Every structure is written in structure tokens, then in C-alpha cells.
Amino acid sequence: MIDVFRLRRDLNPVQLELMEEILMRRDMTLDCYKLFRKNYSGVKSRVRRIEKKLLTIMQQVEPESFVPRWIQGEVSHIEKKYILIEKAIRQYKFAMKSFNDIVNAPGFIHFDPDQKYNGTIYALNNYLSSADRCIDEALGCIRITERYFKNITSAFEGHARLESLRKNAKPDPNEIPPSQELS
């Protein structure tokens, strides 16, 4: 973690002016990460609710029924995205750790802000860009899961309508009962 107050105290005004922009960008990256984590935990909780609901449906219908198998497939597609999301989280953490290591290094306060291509500032911006890219990749995976959630919702609604029709269906008086059909 960065001690921003110490950093602001130790840097000279020219260095501080240059670092303020980087620190603002870092804060935006951290805020995006917090929002992403909130979305990701929401995805996981939705999957848990779907799995519970799926178990109740599977107890009501025959094992070869299409709807539960389709929903299971959609849930497995969502869970495959977990691997990509976890990888993006690890890469984000590595980038932010590297950023913090540079800022917390003892010689950091001696960087030259007048250099046209300052390696330290370039590295800090590079790590922030990497962290932002990781968040974008993870959010892209979450956006893809939304399509699967829509499919699952429509499957549950379709199953509920079908069950409602089955319960409310009245027997056709002209229909021959199965016991009286030709042998």
C-alpha cells in the first residue's frame, strides 16, 4: 500500500505535480477494481441461486428433460469464465504490487521530473495501464455471462409456463385414455 501523505510530503513541487496525475489515475483504477469485484460477487451469487433453483426443477421433471440439461450447460459456460476472471485478478494484483513497489522504493523520491522520458514515470503508467487492461478483460467476461443469465432466465420462465399449462390442462373428452388404446 502506498503512503500517499508521506509521498506528498517528500516530493518537491515539480515531482508532486507530475505524480498527482498518476495518483489520480491510480485512484480511478482502484475504484474500477472495487466495482468489478462487486459485479463478480454478484455473478457468483446469481449462479448459486440458479443452481439451487435447478435442483428443485430436476426433482420435479424426468432426468432426460431438455430444460435442466440446457440450464446446466449455460451454468457451465458461466463457470468457465471464472477461470479467465481469476487470471485477470492475479494479473491486476501483480501490476498493482509492482506499482506499489516502485513508489515505495527508497530511491523513488529522487526521480528527475524534467527528463523527457522518465523511466520511473513510464513504468508507473505502464503498470496502471496493465491493471486497467486486466479489469477490462474481467468485465468483458462478466458482460458475456449476462447473455447466459438471460438464456437461463428465459428457460426458467418457459419451464414455469409449461408446468402451468400442464397443471391447468383439462383432459380432452374425445381422447382415448392410454389404457384403452389398441394393444
Side-chain angles (χ1 to χ4, degrees), residues 158-180:
H159 177 73
R161 276 183 290 199
L162 185 64
E163 289 301 312
S164 167
L165 289 173
R166 285 183 182 159
K167 287 180 183 176
N168 296 333
K170 295 180 181 173
D172 186 9
N174 298 327
E175 184 179 335
I176 300 173
S179 61
Q180 295 179 357

Side-chain angles (χ1 to χ4, degrees), residues 151-164:
N151 291 344
I152 290 169
T153 302
S154 67
F156 279 134
E157 290 170 354
H159 177 73
R161 276 183 290 199
L162 185 64
E163 289 301 312
S164 167

Side-chain angles (χ1 to χ4, degrees), residues 22-52:
I22 292 172
L23 291 174
M24 282 186 351
R25 187 167 168 216
R26 175 187 164 271
D27 290 341
M28 287 191 309
T29 300
L30 291 173
D31 291 342
C32 288
Y33 180 72
K34 289 176 188 174
L35 181 63
F36 152 71
R37 289 300 294 204
K38 181 179 175 185
N39 289 345
Y40 185 43
S41 65
V43 167
K44 285 185 164 185
S45 66
R46 284 174 74 180
V47 167
R48 283 191 297 273
R49 284 194 311 263
I50 288 169
E51 287 173 337
K52 286 179 183 176

Side-chain angles (χ1 to χ4, degrees), residues 108-119:
F108 176 73
I109 62 172
H110 301 296
F111 76 89
D112 184 10
D114 296 328
Q115 273 185 323
K116 186 173 184 180
Y117 298 106
N118 189 315

Side-chain angles (χ1 to χ4, degrees), residues 24-181:
M24 282 186 351
R25 187 167 168 216
R26 175 187 164 271
D27 290 341
M28 287 191 309
T29 300
L30 291 173
D31 291 342
C32 288
Y33 180 72
K34 289 176 188 174
L35 181 63
F36 152 71
R37 289 300 294 204
K38 181 179 175 185
N39 289 345
Y40 185 43
S41 65
V43 167
K44 285 185 164 185
S45 66
R46 284 174 74 180
V47 167
R48 283 191 297 273
R49 284 194 311 263
I50 288 169
E51 287 173 337
K52 286 179 183 176
K53 196 171 184 181
L54 182 60
L55 286 174
T56 60
I57 287 178
M58 290 176 78
Q59 293 170 354
Q60 297 171 355
V61 298
E62 55 273 353
E64 291 80 33
S65 179
F66 171 72
V67 173
R69 286 185 293 137
W70 184 43
I71 293 172
Q72 284 175 331
E74 298 293 299
V75 168
S76 72
H77 288 301
I78 292 171
E79 289 174 342
K80 286 178 187 174
K81 295 297 177 194
Y82 288 176
I83 297 167
L84 298 172
I85 292 170
E86 293 296 330
K87 179 181 175 186
I89 290 171
R90 282 191 307 274
Q91 291 173 342
Y92 165 85
K93 288 181 178 180
F94 175 77
M96 291 307 286
K97 181 185 178 308
S98 300
F99 179 91
N100 292 341
D101 289 347
I102 290 174
V103 173
N104 290 329
F108 176 73
I109 62 172
H110 301 296
F111 76 89
D112 184 10
D114 296 328
Q115 273 185 323
K116 186 173 184 180
Y117 298 106
N118 189 315
T120 304
I121 299 302
Y122 180 77
L124 291 175
N125 280 320
N126 199 15
Y127 284 125
L128 286 176
S129 295
S130 178
D132 289 338
R133 189 173 45 255
C134 293
I135 293 170
D136 287 342
E137 288 173 7
L139 286 173
C141 290
I142 289 176
R143 279 190 290 274
I144 291 170
T145 63
E146 288 301 318
R147 183 185 78 216
Y148 295 120
F149 283 128
K150 287 180 184 176
N151 291 344
I152 290 169
T153 302
S154 67
F156 279 134
E157 290 170 354
H159 177 73
R161 276 183 290 199
L162 185 64
E163 289 301 312
S164 167
L165 289 173
R166 285 183 182 159
K167 287 180 183 176
N168 296 333
K170 295 180 181 173
D172 186 9
N174 298 327
E175 184 179 335
I176 300 173
S179 61
Q180 295 179 357
E181 288 181 358

